[in-house]
Amino acid sequence: MVKVVGVRFKHAGKIYYFDPGEIKLTDGDSVIVETVRGVEYGDVVVPPKEIAESAVVQPLKQVLRRATEEDVQIVRENAAKETTAFQIGLEKIEKHGLPMKLVDVEYTFDNSKVIFYFTADGRVDFRDLVKDLASVFRTRIELRQIGVRDQAKMLGGLGPCGRSMCCATFLGDFEPVSIKMAKEQNLSLNPSKISGICGRLMCCLKFETEVYRIEKEESEGETTGEAPTGSRGKEPVKSSQAKSASRTEERRKAEAPLQEKVSSKGEDSDTKSPDSEGSASTTPPKGNRTRKRRYRRPRNRPKQEQSKPEQGTAKK
């Protein structure tokens, strides 16, 4: 087991685990931690707890210290710089004529890097843009392309239900959502009714999918008389085995009288008398059917013979 603390760097952002060491932290404390991007400022959202080592991404970074008033002041100054950098980024993108939309700009805590988030339909060659931005800010520049769901999460807004979007309020990670979830909940498959502001399927379709699935299994179990799957473990497997055993017994019972009839017929044929066999052997076999002859009408020859002597008398 490893002792960790959960830290979040953005509102409704992903939670990352760090090693608190000997620092006593509680929920809501601001801390300075070491990350892959360098030193960062974050808030504790998960108090210290022990979890399995397999659930932690190694290597586990350290919590350097608690945040002070000076650290909070640096964060405020970086927020003001981000507003100015956003305007400069828009001007440079328009100058180079690139097909991309700038979404957000982020300064790292130690001002070692400026990250520009943008969206685009395809790949964009922004090498000249990076050089131009580096000459203005005099620091490392990173341009990161994001999707429409990440864009909606950064910008925020109101969803079709009238409330703030889930992704910008409490969702840390995006979970896959499919049209099958809408079918299971008997919702309208009209894209305009099940899509969010980002144009993709609404994340809230995932929330009640498990409830609908359990209800469906319970209703099917009641109609068939079987126990629903889920929390009862191996009960459905036992019922299927009992079903197959009962079917085999029914087949055996149905085949038993047929086998008795076949055996009785065989005994009758064996007990036949030799006289009957002899009489059966003396009966002549049926002959082949003769082919039907074609009827031909006889020629009228006698009339010709009678006509010959009449001709001779006429000559005399």
Side-chain angles (χ1 to χ4, degrees), residues 31-48:
V31 293
I32 304 298
V33 296
E34 180 186 358
T35 65
V36 178
R37 302 192 306 180
V39 180
E40 290 288 343
Y41 174 93
D43 298 321
V44 177
V45 292
V46 179

Side-chain angles (χ1 to χ4, degrees), residues 1-260:
M1 303 294 286
V2 182
K3 187 178 181 181
V4 297
V5 62
V7 178
R8 182 177 280 168
F9 301 104
K10 293 182 179 180
H11 179 66
K14 188 176 180 180
I15 299 174
Y16 297 90
Y17 289 116
F18 293 89
D19 183 7
E22 298 180 357
I23 304 173
K24 295 182 179 180
L25 300 171
T26 58
D27 190 5
D29 291 343
S30 300
V31 293
I32 304 298
V33 296
E34 180 186 358
T35 65
V36 178
R37 302 192 306 180
V39 180
E40 290 288 343
Y41 174 93
D43 298 321
V44 177
V45 292
V46 179
K49 65 177 183 178
E50 291 186 354
I51 61 175
E53 294 184 3
S54 59
V56 179
V57 179
Q58 299 293 340
L60 190 62
K61 299 291 185 178
Q62 289 279 339
V63 175
L64 300 179
R65 55 184 171 83
R66 289 176 180 271
T68 60
E69 289 296 330
E70 296 178 357
D71 298 329
V72 177
Q73 186 63 29
I74 292 172
V75 173
R76 292 172 182 170
E77 292 176 359
N78 290 343
K81 292 179 182 178
E82 289 171 359
T83 305
T84 306
F86 188 84
Q87 296 297 328
I88 296 173
L90 291 176
E91 294 174 1
K92 296 298 181 182
I93 290 172
E94 186 177 359
K95 176 183 176 182
H96 290 274
L98 296 174
M100 54 191 292
K101 180 182 178 181
L102 188 62
V103 178
D104 195 12
V105 180
E106 180 185 357
Y107 266 85
T108 58
F109 179 76
D110 54 1
N111 290 335
S112 61
K113 185 190 294 185
V114 184
I115 305 172
F116 291 83
Y117 298 95
F118 71 95
T119 59
D121 294 334
R123 298 189 64 180
V124 181
D125 185 7
F126 46 75
R127 288 175 291 182
D128 295 336
L129 177 62
V130 171
K131 294 177 183 178
D132 200 354
L133 292 173
S135 63
V136 174
F137 295 102
R138 300 291 180 180
T139 185
R140 291 179 60 189
I141 302 296
E142 180 181 347
L143 270 74
R144 186 176 299 177
Q145 186 172 359
I146 60 175
V148 290
R149 300 181 86 182
D150 294 304
Q151 179 187 4
K153 184 182 181 70
M154 289 183 177
L155 299 178
L158 298 177
C161 60
R163 304 185 64 179
S164 298
M165 292 189 296
C166 301
C167 58
T169 307
F170 60 89
L171 282 182
D173 294 328
F174 290 109
E175 295 185 2
V177 184
S178 63
I179 194 69
K180 183 181 178 181
M181 297 177 182
K183 292 179 180 179
E184 290 176 349
Q185 300 177 34
N186 296 326
L187 297 176
S188 174
L189 300 182
N190 188 353
S192 62
K193 293 186 178 181
I194 59 177
S195 299
I197 294 177
C198 60
R200 305 294 174 85
L201 293 175
M202 293 187 294
C203 299
C204 56
L205 294 176
K206 178 73 175 177
F207 300 161
E208 298 181 359
T209 302
E210 191 68 18
V211 178
Y212 276 85
R213 187 182 64 81
I214 294 172
E215 290 290 335
K216 184 178 180 181
E217 289 180 355
E218 289 180 354
S219 62
E220 290 178 355
E222 291 176 358
T223 54
T224 57
E226 296 180 2
T229 58
S231 60
R232 298 193 178 183
K234 298 182 179 179
E235 289 184 4
V237 179
K238 292 181 181 178
S239 62
S240 63
Q241 290 177 354
K243 242 185 171 181
S244 61
S246 62
R247 287 175 181 173
T248 53
E249 286 294 331
E250 290 176 359
R251 287 177 183 174
R252 288 177 183 175
K253 291 179 181 179
E255 291 175 358
L258 295 176
Q259 291 178 356
E260 291 178 359

